[in-house]
Amino acid sequence: MPGNKTSSTLDIAPGSKYAELSGSTVSRIVELLKRESTQPARDVISFAQQICFSYLIGSCDSHLKNFSIVYYEEKTPRPSLAPAYDFVSTTYFPRPSHDMAFALGEDRNIDAISPGSFRTLALQLGISKSSLRNLAKPLANEIIPALRKAGSGQMGTVLESTPYIADRLEEDLLPRLDVLRSFCGI
């Protein structure tokens, strides 16, 4: 039965979902995954991809409750990282803060993230920089074609405004895409 247990598993109050945990939120979640997950390597990779995607699309609301673990009790009493959910391009809108829910590397403000932030993120994830680059490259290479495909209606029925929204999303994420491409050596 799926359920959000990350914040309770990390022993923090639900109201602290935006708190930066001591030693870094990323490191604490990775420690939890390595200690508890049925497939820790797969879950750390998935977590890293979720972080990179969240940064790329400008989701400053990816707080602790957006990263959950799921217990599939019929298979095993140990959890796995839940599939990604609740990604919102908050930077697309003019009012929300550009402070991310937790730091990426050492930076919390999404506009302050640099290629160096990703080098620090790799350390916090406990993976090599080249591994993080390999995980991030497909995102960097495929995000613009995917947005254009969605904006053109190739991914299903769209609203009349969808092409304009896709164009604005592309424009919004280009500075972050440049940072991620720089980190990846693209």
Side-chain angles (χ1 to χ4, degrees):
M1 184 86 191
N4 183 328
K5 296 195 176 199
T6 306
S7 58
S8 62
T9 303
L10 290 171
D11 199 29
I12 62 167
S16 299
K17 65 185 181 181
Y18 289 101
E20 183 69 27
L21 305 179
S22 80
S24 100
T25 298
V26 171
S27 296
R28 292 279 304 277
I29 292 173
V30 167
E31 288 169 13
L32 171 75
L33 293 172
K34 287 180 176 179
R35 184 179 64 245
E36 301 291 334
S37 174
T38 57
Q39 296 182 325
R42 182 202 67 192
D43 284 350
V44 170
I45 288 168
S46 179
F47 181 54
Q49 290 169 320
Q50 290 179 35
I51 292 170
C52 290
F53 182 74
S54 182
Y55 165 73
L56 189 56
I57 67 162
S59 179
C60 292
D61 195 44
S62 291
H63 50 74
L64 287 172
K65 286 182 147 191
N66 292 97
F67 299 95
S68 299
I69 55 176
V70 179
Y71 289 84
Y72 297 102
E73 307 233 358
E74 63 275 0
K75 293 180 181 177
T76 177
R78 298 185 68 191
S80 294
L81 185 67
Y85 61 93
D86 198 19
F87 287 101
V88 178
S89 298
T90 59
T91 57
Y92 173 84
F93 301 98
R95 285 189 160 221
S97 170
H98 279 222
D99 286 340
M100 294 172 23
F102 56 84
L104 194 156
E106 296 177 3
D107 299 302
R108 200 161 180 166
N109 184 288
I110 199 163
D111 301 319
I113 302 298
S114 68
S117 303
F118 286 95
R119 289 189 281 280
T120 303
L121 176 64
L123 293 171
Q124 292 169 331
L125 289 164
I127 62 175
S128 68
K129 289 178 278 199
S130 62
S131 293
L132 185 56
R133 283 185 188 107
N134 290 336
L135 297 170
K137 276 182 187 178
L139 295 171
N141 288 330
E142 296 169 17
I143 190 74
I144 298 299
L147 266 175
R148 290 180 180 164
K149 191 174 180 181
S152 69
Q154 294 177 45
M155 298 176 86
T157 306
V158 294
L159 301 172
E160 189 175 314
S161 62
T162 299
Y164 308 108
I165 294 170
D167 288 345
R168 287 184 59 206
L169 284 170
E170 180 178 334
E171 182 181 305
D172 178 66
L173 69 77
L174 284 175
R176 292 183 299 279
L177 181 58
D178 288 343
V179 170
L180 192 59
R181 283 181 170 161
S182 177
F183 169 72
C184 292
I186 300 172

